[in-house]
Amino acid sequence: MRKLTKEEDKARELILQAISDYRTGLEALTLTDKNDLGPIMIDGETRTGYYCQMMVSPREVAEIVLKYDYPVFAVLEEEPSQAMWDELADHFGLATVTSFDL
């Protein structure tokens, strides 16, 4: 394995710090009392095929996305696993969830 250049090592550290910061923020949401947080919006589709937007608890979303290591995907701007989207949909009674505003 080759040694990283100074620039590559700095970039790696910045990325790891951004992931850590994102994860810390989500973990803080999971520790907050549900009633202290305002709702966030998720977009999805109902089981009957209609587009919908729902106002949901950010704590519930944070708990689910942390299980799928979402901070890594968010920072790297990659698509998270379909399993995460499926669990969000199941949790909120939808056929699909396409996005959330967290």
Side-chain angles (χ1 to χ4, degrees), residues 55-72:
M55 300 303 287
V56 301
S57 165
R59 180 181 182 171
E60 293 176 51
V61 174
E63 289 171 350
I64 292 170
V65 301
L66 277 169
K67 290 187 341 189
Y68 294 93
D69 212 13
Y70 182 73
V72 172

Side-chain angles (χ1 to χ4, degrees), residues 19-67:
I19 291 168
S20 177
D21 292 347
Y22 200 120
R23 182 176 286 113
T24 300
L26 289 176
E27 288 169 347
L29 284 176
T30 66
L31 300 174
T32 305
D33 183 14
K34 242 184 212 182
N35 297 327
D36 289 345
L37 302 171
I40 62 165
M41 187 175 304
I42 62 171
D43 297 315
E45 188 175 300
T46 67
R47 292 191 172 113
T48 55
Y50 291 96
Y51 170 77
C52 74
Q53 294 180 315
M54 293 178 68
M55 300 303 287
V56 301
S57 165
R59 180 181 182 171
E60 293 176 51
V61 174
E63 289 171 350
I64 292 170
V65 301
L66 277 169
K67 290 187 341 189

Side-chain angles (χ1 to χ4, degrees), residues 13-23 71 75:
E13 289 302 318
L14 288 172
I15 290 168
L16 291 175
Q17 186 61 51
I19 291 168
S20 177
D21 292 347
Y22 200 120
R23 182 176 286 113
V75 168

